[in-house]
Amino acid sequence: MSASPSDRRTRALALLERLESGAPERVAKNLDDFHSEAAEILLGFAFTDVVAREGIPLKTREMLTVAMLAAMGTAPGQLEFHMRAALNTGASHDEIVEIVLQVAVYAGIPAAMNAITTAKSAFTSR
């Protein structure tokens, strides 16, 4: 990777900043400490190539991300971040609650219970 940040990385970090102020610095440092190209590869794909697409509004994408991460039940840190990001992009507290209740139906009570714990933390950290 060249010494200057790539356009993909720059665009990904700009979108990440829209989701949560201060997040780009934390996330980029974590990934850069792992490998010099990790942010380019992971954030470039996720945020520049997919999340930034025009087909679905950002608020909706974040709500979908919350539902999927909650259903997975294996990524509490990312779930909390995306719950805050959903709130930051216009989703309401009540919409997050409804997503978690929907998760209970289709992914099970344990996944919903984990999501409830994460949601409570996301709600209080804002």
Side-chain angles (χ1 to χ4, degrees):
M1 188 166 133
S2 64
S4 63
S6 74
D7 181 55
R8 270 176 92 226
R9 177 187 170 113
T10 301
R11 289 174 41 214
L13 293 175
L15 180 53
L16 199 55
E17 180 68 24
R18 283 180 59 199
L19 297 178
E20 184 171 70
S21 179
E25 294 79 17
R26 292 189 314 271
V27 174
K29 180 178 180 350
N30 181 47
L31 293 173
D32 290 342
D33 286 350
F34 172 67
H35 187 273
S36 64
E37 294 180 351
E40 164 71 22
I41 294 166
L42 301 176
L43 299 180
F45 170 65
F47 292 103
T48 302
D49 298 348
V50 179
V51 177
R53 291 175 57 86
E54 296 291 323
I56 300 172
L58 189 55
K59 171 188 168 185
T60 304
R61 284 191 189 275
E62 283 304 311
M63 292 171 69
L64 289 166
T65 302
V66 166
M68 289 181 275
L69 288 170
M72 285 173 45
T74 58
Q78 289 79 16
L79 176 58
E80 184 173 346
F81 170 81
H82 285 286
M83 285 179 166
R84 292 190 312 267
L87 294 166
N88 291 337
T89 58
S92 70
H93 177 280
D94 290 343
E95 287 173 317
I96 300 296
V97 169
E98 292 300 323
I99 292 167
V100 172
L101 295 175
Q102 188 83 8
V103 165
V105 174
Y106 291 97
I109 301 297
M113 295 297 289
N114 289 339
I116 287 167
T117 299
T118 303
K120 288 166 54 179
S121 179
F123 294 154
T124 60
S125 70
R126 286 190 80 232

